[in-house]
Amino acid sequence: MGSHAAFVVPGAGFPAPHASAVRNLRLQQASGLPADTAALPSAAETAFVSWGAPVALTTCFIGLAASRSRFFGSRRHRGRSSVGPSVLLLHVAPVDRPEASTIVPVPAGGAAGLDFDAVESSVSAFVPKISALQHQAAQLRSGELQEVLSTMKALRKTELRSIFTEVDQLLCALVDAVDGLRESAQTIRKSELRSHFHQMDHDAKQWVSVVEKEHVALLTGYRSKGEELDTMMEVHVVGLSHHSAPVEVRQKLAVAQAEWNAYAKDLVQFGQTSQGFVVPEVAVISTCNRFELYFASSEMKKFAAIEAVHAFLRQKSGLSREELEPYLFTHSGHEATQHLFEVSSGLDSLVLGEAQILSQVKACHEHCIMKADPNDSTSVEGSGGKIVAKMLNAAIRMGKIARTRTKIGKGSVSVSSAAVELMMSKATQDLHKHASDLHVCVIGAGKMSRLLLLALFSKHPNIKVTLVNRSVDKAQEVLDDDLVKARGGSHAVVAPMEQMWDVIHKSDVVFTATGSKVPIIHAADLQSLQRRLMMVDISVPLNIAPDCRGLEQATSYSVDDLKKVVQANAEKRQSEVDKAKKLIAEEVSKFECWQASQGAVPYLAALQELAEKIRFDETEKMSKNLKGLHEKERDAIDKLTKHIVDQLFRPIYYSMKDEEDVQTKKNKILALKNMFRLEPVYKRGLLTSGSAAAQLNA
């Protein structure tokens, strides 16, 4: 940002305050300058603008201020605004003494583009006009006006005397003021203008520099101590999920897993500039419940990277900013890492602690590190990069830790899994059998039945099951489902609805999950039971009539009983959330320490390059003394010098891996940079594509 000052433009014809107006107002407040509102004229509109042009013109009016104040000091002009709508008021204060601020009037046209010669020429041309004005005022006072005053005094009217006395005083003040203007204008010289201008420009630059740094720190939360590191990378996440976005919006952004890499590559290319890639690392997760982009960028390009991702999503989805951004969430730095770790741990899932999301994070990691197949022209290399890949890998580890050190995944939290849990807990009490010895009948072959079989086979893969449905083929499709077969079902068979009662009489447990609007099982249908029977209804509306609860040979459970199980398990899991969050905080801290250490890698590479150059140059200087050595002896000396250099720098390398807070790590990297006067050398070209440093990439 160049030098500029904040100034106020009163009067009509100027635009109302806007975004830049608010910014400059905050800059003025942050600087500690007094408001000095008493010196400002009242106006219907006030616009705050940013001025980067020279302020030389203002200085020529400083010398005129005293005479001007004398002229407007008369009784007639007291309380009136001394500056019209065509005048700007420039608020000027020394950097070291903000309390010594002044308001300097500037013509409304501004000072942009004026030079000192033009200013001095204007002042020189103004002096004769001042003299002529002074002469006319003197003639008026001593001539016609004097005769009028003498005549009016002879009338002996006290009211008129006081008025003409004031007129006489006003004329005297006018003559004095004009004379003061002429003297002030004549004393201004080019050297004085230059001195005023350079001092004001210097003060403005210092003031703006201080205020700008404070303002950036206020907005971003990042406060550098004297210098910034352009090698530091920041992580971000932009996305939407089932928590806030409707399915219609989620569908607009959904990406098939086979297209994740191509989508990420498109985003990397979308953010390419002549200075490199704004978003050099990207990974995609897209499921039925969430869509998230994890990406990394230089700390210096944080806001540019986020805006690039938002623009890319608008382009891909065809949605406008107003249609899309209310549903998007954005996290950076610590919040982004914590969000990913909570996702992988199941804390952000629709079902608390569910394990499926962890497999999706694993798939995201596998895609982001994927290498292009040289034999397949359609394959696309992953765009995860070192930072994003490490973050996803750490998230996978975090998901495993959360599920092994806490009970967040224990207990059924869906109706289908709760039905299986109820059967297992009540089997001994109601049926006097172990759960693995039961014969189960499942009526219906819809989604609920499929989920029930998944939960059942997960606990007892070889349990006997008969799946009853109107369409036998559809029932067989459920049993042949890949996920169902992966969990068990070797003793599962299907039967048509006509055989339902025969199957029920041979079963120990009956689960009902049909789409019937009325009960299909009543108490009268079960009077001839020859064995004890447990019935669990997971349908809404109910498939089992309420009168079945009174049977001696059968026990009946409804969805309401299952909801109690689900609620109890959810409460137990919630108590484990706090434990999981403590573990997440520890893992986030470890990742951030590693992430900060990566800012040292380009400087360590530069240090290695510097050391190698010194080693090579010194060896060349001694080449004459080494002429008599054999090749093996030369190789031994070469290895020796390399080893010495490595041993000297080894403590520095290991020091960058120390577990410490991020700011301490940054200070250490800055010390390394300044101590050896290093320029970063990048080993990968994504950050510096198009720059000279890219030629050094391996």
Side-chain angles (χ1 to χ4, degrees):
M1 177 182 262
S3 63
H4 67 273
F7 59 88
V8 182
V9 187
F14 293 95
H18 45 82
S20 62
V22 177
R23 181 196 64 188
N24 288 311
L25 178 58
R26 288 178 178 170
L27 288 176
Q28 184 181 19
Q29 292 172 343
S31 69
L33 294 177
D36 203 3
T37 54
L40 299 177
S42 60
E45 292 180 289
T46 302
F48 294 82
V49 294
S50 180
W51 178 42
V55 293
L57 181 60
T58 61
T59 55
C60 72
F61 286 90
I62 297 175
L64 312 183
S67 300
R68 175 178 170 277
S69 63
R70 288 172 58 190
F71 171 71
F72 289 107
S74 65
R75 189 179 306 171
R76 181 178 295 274
H77 291 269
R78 288 174 187 168
R80 294 187 182 181
S81 171
S82 60
V83 183
S86 62
V87 176
L88 310 181
L89 295 181
L90 176 62
H91 203 162
V92 181
V95 176
D96 57 342
R97 293 186 301 110
E99 69 278 3
S101 59
T102 58
I103 299 292
V104 181
V106 185
L114 294 180
D115 56 24
F116 298 109
D117 294 332
V119 173
E120 189 175 32
S121 298
S122 299
V123 172
S124 300
F126 187 49
V127 171
K129 296 179 181 179
I130 296 175
S131 300
L133 181 61
Q134 182 184 19
H135 179 68
Q136 291 176 4
Q139 283 187 335
L140 180 63
R141 181 169 182 270
S142 61
E144 297 176 1
L145 211 67
Q146 186 65 37
E147 294 179 4
V148 174
L149 289 173
S150 301
T151 304
M152 296 303 295
K153 287 180 180 179
L155 295 177
R156 299 182 181 277
K157 298 291 184 178
T158 55
E159 297 86 353
L160 293 175
R161 286 181 183 177
S162 61
I163 292 174
F164 284 106
T165 300
E166 288 191 14
V167 172
D168 185 59
Q169 292 176 354
L170 175 61
L171 288 172
C172 291
L174 176 62
V175 173
D176 292 342
V178 172
D179 187 60
L181 286 172
R182 182 171 59 84
E183 291 179 0
S184 297
Q186 287 176 329
T187 57
I188 295 178
R189 294 291 182 268
K190 187 182 298 186
S191 59
E192 186 176 354
L193 286 174
R194 292 187 186 277
S195 176
H196 276 294
F197 170 77
H198 288 306
Q199 184 60 43
M200 291 178 67
D201 188 58
H202 178 265
D203 291 347
K205 283 182 178 179
Q206 288 189 347
W207 175 72
V208 168
S209 177
V210 172
V211 173
E212 186 179 29
K213 287 182 179 179
E214 292 296 322
H215 197 56
V216 170
L218 180 65
L219 288 174
T220 65
Y222 174 69
R223 186 182 298 273
S224 67
K225 294 186 176 180
E227 194 173 354
E228 297 174 338
L229 284 169
D230 55 1
T231 60
M232 300 301 292
M233 294 288 286
E234 189 64 282
V235 291
H236 319 275
V237 57
V238 172
L240 44 77
S241 69
H242 56 84
H243 292 300
S244 59
V247 65
E248 294 80 11
V249 178
R250 298 204 304 269
Q251 288 175 345
K252 294 275 189 176
L253 295 181
V255 182
Q257 186 168 329
E259 303 297 325
W260 285 3
N261 282 5
Y263 195 90
K265 183 179 180 181
D266 287 347
L267 176 52
V268 172
Q269 297 296 332
F270 181 84
Q272 186 177 11
T273 69
S274 60
Q275 302 300 318
F277 292 92
V278 177
V279 187
E281 299 185 22
V282 183
V284 182
I285 292 181
S286 181
T287 71
C288 56
N289 286 328
R290 71 176 68 248
F291 169 84
E292 295 178 350
L293 294 175
Y294 291 94
F295 58 100
S297 70
S298 169
E299 265 191 352
M300 303 298 187
K301 299 178 181 178
K302 171 182 175 180
F303 296 110
I306 293 173
E307 183 54 37
V309 171
H310 282 206
F312 177 78
L313 292 179
R314 291 196 298 271
Q315 183 188 85
K316 283 287 188 178
S317 65
L319 299 173
S320 65
R321 184 187 297 270
E322 293 74 17
E323 293 172 323
L324 179 60
E325 293 200 358
Y327 301 108
L328 291 177
F329 64 83
T330 302
H331 302 304
S332 296
H334 178 87
E335 289 76 16
T337 307
Q338 180 173 319
H339 172 78
L340 175 58
F341 286 14
E342 289 181 355
V343 167
S344 65
S345 300
L347 302 188
D348 193 61
S349 300
L350 191 61
V351 177
L352 184 64
E354 62 97 4
Q356 187 178 6
I357 186 61
L358 182 57
S359 64
Q360 293 165 346
V361 175
K362 289 180 180 178
C364 178
H365 177 257
E366 290 171 359
H367 275 76
C368 86
I369 63 174
M370 188 180 295
K371 302 297 183 183
D373 186 353
N375 300 320
D376 184 2
S377 59
T378 62
S379 67
V380 180
E381 186 177 12
S383 303
K386 188 174 184 180
I387 301 296
V388 170
K390 178 70 174 183
M391 181 172 67
L392 288 168
N393 188 52
I396 295 170
R397 179 174 179 271
M398 181 66 246
K400 294 177 180 178
I401 291 175
R403 288 168 175 82
T404 55
R405 297 188 188 178
T406 71
K407 298 179 181 179
I408 197 168
K410 304 295 182 182
S412 302
V413 289
S414 69
V415 171
S416 298
S417 57
V420 174
E421 185 176 319
L422 179 68
M423 180 200 77
M424 295 172 60
S425 63
K426 298 290 186 179
T428 304
Q429 175 185 331
D430 294 348
L431 304 174
H432 309 297
K433 284 186 176 182
H434 189 271
S436 59
D437 299 328
L438 298 176
H439 188 168
V440 177
C441 170
V442 180
I443 303 175
K447 180 180 179 181
M448 295 294 288
S449 295
R450 177 179 175 276
L451 294 174
L452 186 143
L453 291 172
L454 286 171
L456 183 61
F457 292 151
S458 296
K459 302 294 183 182
H460 301 287
N462 298 318
I463 195 170
K464 296 178 181 179
V465 175
T466 302
L467 182 58
V468 179
N469 193 56
R470 281 192 175 87
S471 171
V472 177
D473 292 338
K474 184 177 180 181
Q476 190 61 50
E477 287 179 6
V478 173
L479 291 181
D480 291 340
D481 181 86
D482 291 338
L483 290 177
V484 175
K485 289 181 68 175
R487 285 169 171 77
S490 58
H491 294 85
V493 296
V494 299
M497 190 62 73
E498 292 80 8
Q499 299 178 14
M500 182 182 74
W501 292 110
D502 292 337
V503 175
I504 289 177
H505 282 275
K506 295 176 183 178
S507 300
D508 300 300
V509 180
V510 174
F511 293 101
T512 59
T514 75
S516 176
K517 304 297 182 182
V518 296
I520 61 175
I521 300 176
H522 297 81
D525 302 323
L526 302 174
Q527 294 298 327
S528 59
L529 281 175
Q530 299 297 318
R531 59 197 298 174
R532 296 190 64 82
L533 181 67
M534 178 192 296
M535 295 182 293
V536 183
D537 193 349
I538 61 176
S539 301
V540 178
L542 294 176
N543 287 170
I544 301 175
D547 59 1
C548 293
R549 285 183 175 270
L551 294 174
E552 183 179 350
Q553 286 294 104
T555 54
S556 177
Y557 300 96
S558 68
V559 173
D560 291 338
D561 298 309
L562 300 177
K563 286 182 178 178
K564 293 177 183 178
V565 175
V566 171
Q567 181 65 28
N569 288 334
E571 291 175 357
K572 291 178 182 177
R573 289 193 181 192
Q574 194 61 44
S575 65
E576 298 296 311
V577 170
D578 293 338
K579 296 180 182 178
K581 286 188 174 181
K582 289 181 180 178
L583 294 172
I584 287 173
E586 294 175 3
E587 295 301 313
V588 168
S589 179
K590 291 179 182 178
F591 172 77
E592 288 180 338
C593 181
W594 174 87
Q595 179 188 352
S597 69
Q598 296 308 294
V601 172
Y603 291 108
L604 292 176
L607 183 61
Q608 287 179 328
E609 202 171 74
L610 174 64
E612 183 61 22
K613 183 179 183 303
I614 294 173
R615 191 181 72 86
F616 178 80
D617 290 344
E618 294 302 316
T619 303
E620 285 295 308
K621 290 179 182 178
M622 297 295 294
S623 59
K624 293 182 180 179
N625 299 332
L626 302 176
K627 283 184 178 180
L629 296 179
H630 296 293
E631 191 66 28
K632 290 184 178 180
E633 294 172 330
R634 286 179 176 274
D635 290 341
I637 292 176
D638 187 64
K639 291 180 181 179
L640 174 63
T641 54
K642 282 185 178 180
H643 186 68
I644 291 173
V645 170
D646 290 342
Q647 291 299 316
L648 285 173
F649 290 137
R650 189 176 297 274
I652 297 177
Y653 302 151
Y654 283 107
S655 174
M656 294 301 170
K657 296 182 178 181
D658 290 344
E659 292 189 9
E660 53 200 358
D661 63 89
V662 174
Q663 189 56 56
T664 301
K665 187 78 71 179
K666 287 182 178 180
N667 292 340
K668 188 180 289 185
I669 298 171
L670 279 172
L672 175 67
K673 171 187 175 183
N674 295 329
M675 187 181 303
F676 292 96
R677 299 180 181 179
L678 301 173
E679 289 297 327
V681 174
Y682 294 97
K683 294 300 183 182
R684 292 177 300 279
L686 283 177
L687 290 177
T688 55
S689 178
S691 67
Q695 301 173 4
L696 299 173
N697 296 336

